[in-house]
Amino acid sequence: PDATITQEESPMTTNRPITDRIMAMLKDSPECDFDRFVTQCPDLTWNDLFQEVGRLSRAGQVTITRGVGVFMVKLAPVK
């Protein structure tokens, strides 16, 4: 029997979609440093998260602001 732990079995992995995970973090803290998403989702790549945050921004669900060496993400105001 193979004792290798697959990604699906890893305790750090969740099957929740990326969007749900990002939105849940923003509900807990309405403005987040992008690096927090990277830290809180170790099973996802920086690129996966960046692409999804970009998609959410284009869809009007989040707002991205750029500071000195940091990107902040926050929930977009409800229109």
Side-chain angles (χ1 to χ4, degrees):
D2 186 7
T4 307
I5 295 177
T6 64
Q7 188 172 8
E8 291 81 30
E9 296 169 346
S10 170
M12 296 301 289
T13 306
T14 178
N15 290 328
R16 288 175 68 190
I18 297 173
T19 302
D20 291 349
R21 294 165 72 180
I22 290 170
M23 298 307 276
M25 279 188 268
L26 288 171
K27 285 180 181 153
D28 288 342
S29 178
E31 187 172 44
C32 293
D33 178 331
F34 182 79
D35 288 337
R36 178 173 178 229
F37 297 123
V38 176
T39 302
Q40 295 293 316
C41 302
D43 56 310
L44 299 172
T45 67
W46 185 95
N47 194 46
D48 291 336
L49 290 161
F50 187 78
Q51 286 182 353
E52 185 59 17
V53 167
R55 188 193 70 75
L56 290 168
S57 175
R58 289 187 300 280
Q61 293 182 269
V62 301
T63 303
I64 303 169
T65 55
R66 185 173 153 201
V68 178
V70 66
F71 287 97
M72 297 302 290
V73 181
K74 63 182 177 181
L75 289 173
V78 177
K79 294 182 181 182

